Amino acid sequence: QVQLVESGGGLVQYGDSLRLSCAVSGRTFSRYIMGWCRQAPGKERECVAVITRTGGMTYYAESVKGRFTISRDNTKNTVYLQMNSLKPEDTAVYYCAADSGVRLPPPAWDYWGQGTQVTVSS
């Protein structure tokens, strides 16, 4: 079993930055592709950033490309999402996810965190 715990969410203003963290425990962290997905009220869940096991490749949704950066530290079993130039439309619950497959981005995820709220005011 794998446990994912997100932190770092909060209320910020338009144009601000925020960094989310996701601590992973329970299995070898480097076995998993890691990602950040978000869900706004009334909308489907959208996976916005994905990183491979070694961090050598990343994937971003068009909506965040150039503003968000995903990274991981395999010595700390942690994945990060640096979010810059935040906009009100970035407001959502952000979830950390882990997958043991090989596709990027994964069509489905093996494990999810509980989510952290990010709210961007205009």
Side-chain angles (χ1 to χ4, degrees):
Q1 194 62 275
V2 176
Q3 293 80 43
L4 291 75
V5 179
E6 302 97 335
S7 61
L11 172 63
V12 297
Q13 293 187 335
Y14 180 93
D16 282 352
S17 297
L18 205 59
R19 189 175 84 153
L20 305 182
S21 300
C22 174
V24 181
S25 61
R27 288 280 179 89
T28 304
F29 178 64
S30 59
R31 293 180 56 182
Y32 297 96
I33 293 172
M34 298 299 300
W36 287 96
C37 306
R38 67 186 183 186
Q39 188 164 22
K43 294 188 177 182
E44 292 188 357
R45 190 170 294 189
E46 171 191 29
C47 288
V48 297
V50 182
I51 190 166
T52 53
R53 292 169 175 81
T54 63
M57 289 182 63
T58 55
Y59 161 88
Y60 296 97
E62 285 298 322
S63 57
V64 306
K65 199 172 289 185
R67 299 187 298 121
F68 289 13
T69 302
I70 188 171
S71 62
R72 66 190 293 163
D73 186 337
N74 285 356
T75 66
K76 296 182 179 180
N77 291 0
T78 303
V79 61
Y80 305 96
L81 185 67
Q82 177 67 43
M83 305 185 292
N84 298 330
S85 303
L86 283 163
K87 307 174 182 180
E89 50 264 44
D90 295 317
T91 296
V93 177
Y94 283 72
Y95 298 90
C96 177
D99 185 65
S100 57
V102 297
R103 292 176 62 182
L104 188 72
W109 296 87
D110 293 335
Y111 302 101
W112 293 91
Q114 82 289 349
T116 185
Q117 177 71 45
V118 172
T119 303
V120 184
S121 64
S122 57

